Amino acid sequence: MKMTASNHGSTDGTTSAHVDVVAKLTQQERDIINRLQRGVPLTPDPYGDLAQELGITSRQLLDSLRDLLERGVLSRFGPMFQAERMGGALSLAAMAVPEHDVERVAAIVNACSEVAHNYQREHRFNLWFVIASDEPGRTAEVITEIEGASGYEVIHLPKEEEFHVHLHLPV
Amino acid sequence: MTEASAGRFQGLSQGLSQGLSQGLSRELLEGLSEHALAGAPHEQDWRHTRLRACLEQGLPLVPEPFKALAEETGLSVGEVRALIGYWQHSGLIKRVGLVVRHRSLGLTANAMVVWNLPDERVDEVGRRLASEPQVTLCYQRLRRPDWPYNLYCMIHGVRRERVEAQITALIQRHALEHVEHQILFSRRAYCQRGGRFTPEMP
């Protein structure tokens, strides 16, 4: 997420929860997150170069990254692949499930190893999930399996184009 | 060097000279074997496949990450770095960096906005919305008879009211008042795991 200082700072009085969580990060952690969101250099010694830029040691950088991953502040560190270019498919799917049955169906969806994300949203179509697969035709099979196990129709919304966003969230 | 691999070599050099993979020297590039170059765009070499599989786990958090990857894959350190640079240049790797978990930073309001745009406008509006700082994902998707929306964008924020205000501002800024749309706030995240391709999509 890219946000400017003006729309994420406390000056607008709307982001206090964000500020609270960010306040729990040390200045060093913030510097690391802000710097590494801009990318990692492919130099012979990337951590050494980044550490030098940040005024810390490689050891501190590596320890901090491990810690941030363990605490769940970061979900991932490293190269981000484009699924389609990996020969895979990334599909969004949705279901309209009656309120009383949502938990059961959500569990069915979660049980599929190909499902990467699964959200309940406020809408008649209330279950939204992403299917990631590297086998042609597997997405359709997963959908059929979910429909069979849940008893509800799945609508499949394949991607036609991805518009590039710059993900940068200053902390 | 064949004509085809010379072309790829040029592509590789261009990517590197554009600073996509800072610090990769020409000597290093030239250290790439003909075999590695020929395989790079086609992924025929199992060592390349292995490198991709390793990288899907993330960049090793050890003092010499490329050496660790070289040992893991049987490639040379130079080949590892050049391949990552090449994949970044070719778009297979979108970027090398980190992903912040929005929820861990208190950014729990998550709206998916879907728009029903005339086909001829979807490209232009998609690009414009993607360039907005609040928009974290922006996709064009196939319409469905019961779901006519063709453009999707995601907005994260701390509070629902704030996200709603941002959406209102986007509508005004891009003159989308007459475009049919729906806002779907997330109520619960059941699962957010990296898929086989570590997607960042809900």
Side-chain angles (χ1 to χ4, degrees):
Chain A
M1 174 183 286
K2 182 175 69 172
M3 283 174 140
T4 61
S6 62
N7 69 8
H8 101 110
S10 56
T11 46
D12 61 9
T14 57
T15 56
S16 56
H18 174 57
V19 172
D20 285 350
V21 180
V22 171
K24 288 182 191 144
L25 298 172
T26 65
Q27 186 58 49
Q28 183 183 305
E29 287 170 338
R30 279 181 231 167
D31 291 345
I32 290 171
I33 293 172
N34 289 333
R35 172 60 189 85
L36 269 65
Q37 283 186 96
R38 290 195 281 114
V40 174
L42 297 181
T43 54
D45 182 14
Y47 297 126
D49 294 339
L50 287 164
Q52 193 179 16
E53 211 181 301
L54 291 160
I56 55 177
T57 66
S58 305
R59 178 68 186 271
Q60 285 173 313
L61 175 62
L62 289 168
D63 287 348
S64 187
L65 281 171
R66 281 192 207 102
D67 186 49
L68 288 166
L69 282 162
E70 249 167 53
R71 279 153 56 198
V73 174
L74 305 180
S75 61
R76 193 174 153 68
F77 172 72
M80 315 297 156
F81 286 96
Q82 183 163 29
E84 286 76 6
R85 299 288 302 273
M86 296 283 276
L90 206 58
S91 272
L92 183 68
M95 299 174 86
V97 181
E99 197 65 42
H100 71 270
D101 216 6
V102 170
E103 296 300 319
R104 180 185 72 90
V105 177
I108 290 168
V109 172
N110 278 1
C112 293
S113 59
E114 287 87 354
V115 170
H117 293 253
N118 182 15
Y119 282 88
Q120 189 187 146
R121 294 190 179 276
E122 297 172 4
H123 193 273
R124 184 172 72 81
F125 284 111
N126 50 357
L127 221 47
W128 290 81
F129 49 95
V130 174
I131 303 167
S133 165
D134 61 355
E135 292 169 50
R138 182 63 193 139
T139 302
E141 284 173 17
V142 170
I143 287 175
T144 307
E145 284 165 20
I146 292 174
E147 285 181 329
S150 69
Y152 300 102
E153 191 197 355
V154 174
I155 65 165
H156 181 203
L157 303 155
K159 183 203 288 189
E160 291 206 288
E161 189 170 349
E162 177 173 353
F163 299 101
H164 186 70
V165 295
H166 291 279
L167 290 171
H168 191 236
L169 169 67
V171 295
Chain B
M1 190 180 275
T2 64
E3 203 177 312
S5 66
R8 286 194 284 273
F9 182 84
Q10 200 183 3
L12 196 55
S13 307
Q14 276 168 1
L16 300 168
S17 62
Q18 283 161 11
L20 278 165
S21 32
Q22 311 139 27
L24 268 187
S25 67
R26 179 158 291 278
E27 298 89 85
L28 201 146
L29 248 183
E30 283 163 1
L32 260 183
S33 67
E34 171 86 359
H35 183 60
L37 272 172
H42 304 298
E43 320 302 341
Q44 285 161 343
D45 188 328
W46 66 268
R47 296 176 306 169
H48 299 178
T49 312
R50 187 150 176 74
L51 178 60
R52 288 194 337 193
C54 290
L55 289 169
E56 277 195 84
Q57 310 297 312
L59 193 66
L61 289 170
V62 296
E64 295 181 85
F66 300 125
K67 194 174 158 206
L69 289 166
E71 282 164 5
E72 196 75 20
T73 55
L75 293 159
S76 71
V77 173
E79 285 170 336
V80 167
R81 284 170 55 212
L83 277 169
I84 298 172
Y86 177 79
W87 287 336
Q88 222 176 332
H89 173 64
S90 68
L92 178 70
I93 292 177
K94 291 193 276 190
R95 65 199 163 92
V96 182
L98 49 75
V99 179
V100 178
R101 205 185 290 271
H102 291 110
R103 281 170 189 270
S104 79
L105 293 179
L107 298 167
T108 51
N110 157 341
M112 180 172 79
V113 189
V114 295
W115 313 85
N116 177 2
L117 280 152
D119 290 339
E120 64 277 12
R121 282 195 70 198
V122 69
D123 213 52
E124 169 232 328
V125 175
R127 279 175 221 279
R128 279 165 51 188
L129 290 179
S131 73
E132 288 280 354
Q134 308 89 335
V135 173
T136 53
L137 290 162
C138 192
Y139 292 99
Q140 181 188 354
R141 297 189 176 279
L142 278 181
R143 301 172 191 273
R144 295 262 319 200
D146 48 352
W147 189 252
Y149 306 98
N150 54 350
L151 187 69
Y152 292 62
C153 65
M154 207 67 62
I155 297 174
H156 291 266
V158 171
R159 286 205 341 226
R160 186 190 182 109
E161 306 79 63
R162 173 70 180 164
V163 171
E164 282 168 344
Q166 286 179 329
I167 294 166
T168 306
L170 284 183
I171 289 171
Q172 285 168 355
R173 205 153 43 241
H174 298 284
L176 298 170
E177 289 88 349
H178 302 295
V179 177
E180 185 199 354
H181 71 275
Q182 294 204 43
I183 301 170
L184 288 82
F185 274 95
S186 68
R187 188 180 286 165
R188 194 168 157 195
Y190 289 106
C191 121
Q192 277 178 286
R193 59 184 165 226
R196 217 169 301 188
F197 308 107
T198 63
E200 301 170 276
M201 250 311 286

